[in-house]
Amino acid sequence: MSRPPVAVGRVRPRDAISALGVLWRFSRPHTLIGTSLSIVALYVIAASLDRASNAGDLLLTLLAGACVNVFIVGVNQVQDVEIDRLNKPWLPIAAGELSLEAGRRIVAAAAVVPVAMAVTQGVAELVAVGAALGIGWAYSCPPLRLKRYPALAAGSITFVRSVVVNLGVWLHVAGTPISAGVWALTAVTVPFSFAIAVLKDVPDIEGDRRFGIATFSVRLGPRPVLGVGVGALTAAGVGMAVAGPLLLDGADPLVLVVGHLLGVAALWRWALRVDPADPVAFAGFYQRVWQLFFCEYLVVTAAYVLG
């Protein structure tokens, strides 16, 4: 039995912890952690090169990034309630723990806050925030609803995660020129983000097929999509292990090589053990891919700090 929906602004004090838990799950924590870690890593790299802005600016950037993230994942949940009841029935709106109206209010606030902040923070942040919000809206909402088209859906997610986040945050906290490490992170997160974009739909085939969302998983089947995702991630890891030490001056080459090869080894160990036809097992594998995404930023940042 689902719990009564949370109505924002009407939560009694004794229910505050429960309400925060619902809002945390509404934010899709793995995506929120990924966004926050990206911002912190880029800031630390800038600091290691004596180019970072002040710590207060980092906190404001984290707040803006978190709001943009909540908008993107939140508007998707508001639009996809019926699909989520099949694919992800544990999400707060689908589970009846958060009302649809409350979800809409959270999404609206998550759009207004970063735009208001970006207006006062400069052109780089305003462009990055506007691009991320616009693409997030186009991905989920009619009339565009880009998620209906596999290539556009994957391209949208990849562009935001790789280009908008990395370049937008760097230009805001460090300005120009753009460090070679940031270009490397931008390049390596393209295949990472693409893999995340295609693999996330593997456990959702039933609901996507029923509602006419022709993802790569629906069109090709789960096992070929697993192969595509693992291939993209392998290329990313091996590419950074080989090219990183050659191109990134000031970064510790041993950290880059060992960190990325260990990541590739872990990926293949997980991939060979997962059954792509088992939605629960594959969802666990997908979360491990996100862990590799987190580690990508940690490895590159550590290489600069130790180099």
Side-chain angles (χ1 to χ4, degrees):
M1 180 181 295
S2 62
R3 286 172 282 180
V6 173
V8 173
R10 299 179 183 178
V11 179
R12 293 172 294 180
R14 65 176 178 271
D15 295 329
I17 295 177
S18 176
L20 287 174
V22 170
L23 293 176
W24 174 245
R25 285 185 287 112
F26 181 73
S27 73
R28 304 307 306 277
H30 59 284
T31 66
L32 189 59
I33 293 169
T35 298
S36 301
L37 186 58
S38 301
I39 292 170
V40 172
L42 289 163
Y43 185 88
V44 172
I45 292 172
S48 73
L49 300 173
D50 296 321
R51 292 181 54 189
S53 53
N54 60 64
D57 193 41
L58 171 62
L59 295 177
L60 291 175
T61 305
L62 283 168
L63 175 59
C67 288
V68 171
N69 194 99
V70 170
F71 172 84
I72 292 173
V73 298
V75 75
N76 186 258
Q77 292 173 68
V78 167
Q79 291 292 326
D80 286 1
V81 177
E82 295 303 320
I83 299 176
D84 287 341
R85 284 175 179 155
L86 283 174
N87 289 343
K88 302 179 181 72
W90 60 86
L91 291 177
I93 297 178
E97 297 176 285
L98 185 70
S99 70
L100 186 59
E101 183 57 34
R104 290 192 179 109
R105 291 202 296 270
I106 294 169
V107 166
V112 170
V113 169
V115 171
M117 294 174 64
V119 168
T120 67
Q121 295 297 310
V123 174
E125 184 166 340
L126 183 59
V127 171
V129 166
L133 292 175
I135 293 170
W137 174 85
Y139 177 87
S140 296
C141 298
L144 296 179
R145 200 159 164 77
L146 299 180
K147 67 179 296 176
R148 295 176 297 170
Y149 312 104
L152 290 176
S156 299
I157 295 171
T158 301
F159 183 76
V160 171
R161 280 279 167 200
S162 58
V163 177
V164 175
V165 172
N166 290 314
L167 298 187
V169 170
W170 179 266
L171 289 172
H172 175 65
V173 302
T176 55
I178 297 172
S179 164
V182 178
W183 286 118
L185 275 172
T186 301
V188 77
T189 51
V190 168
F192 255 99
S193 301
F194 172 76
I196 286 171
V198 297
L199 293 174
K200 76 179 182 63
D201 296 320
V202 171
D204 298 342
I205 289 177
E206 179 185 351
D208 289 340
R209 182 181 288 121
R210 182 175 300 185
F211 286 90
I213 307 297
T215 63
F216 283 121
S217 297
V218 170
R219 292 186 174 190
L220 303 177
R223 190 165 295 279
V225 170
L226 171 62
V228 169
V230 170
L233 293 170
T234 301
V238 173
M240 277 295 286
V242 173
L246 300 175
L247 300 177
L248 303 186
D249 293 335
D252 189 312
L254 184 63
V255 172
L256 291 172
V257 173
V258 173
H260 285 95
L261 291 182
L262 286 175
V264 172
L267 167 70
W268 275 90
R269 181 173 182 270
W270 299 332
L272 291 172
R273 294 184 175 191
V274 72
D275 178 4
D278 181 343
V280 175
F282 199 90
F285 170 77
Y286 175 68
Q287 290 300 319
R288 291 188 180 97
V289 170
W290 270 97
Q291 292 168 18
L292 290 178
F293 181 79
F294 303 158
C295 288
E296 182 61 42
Y297 282 91
L298 293 176
V299 167
V300 174
T301 302
Y304 269 95
V305 171
L306 298 174

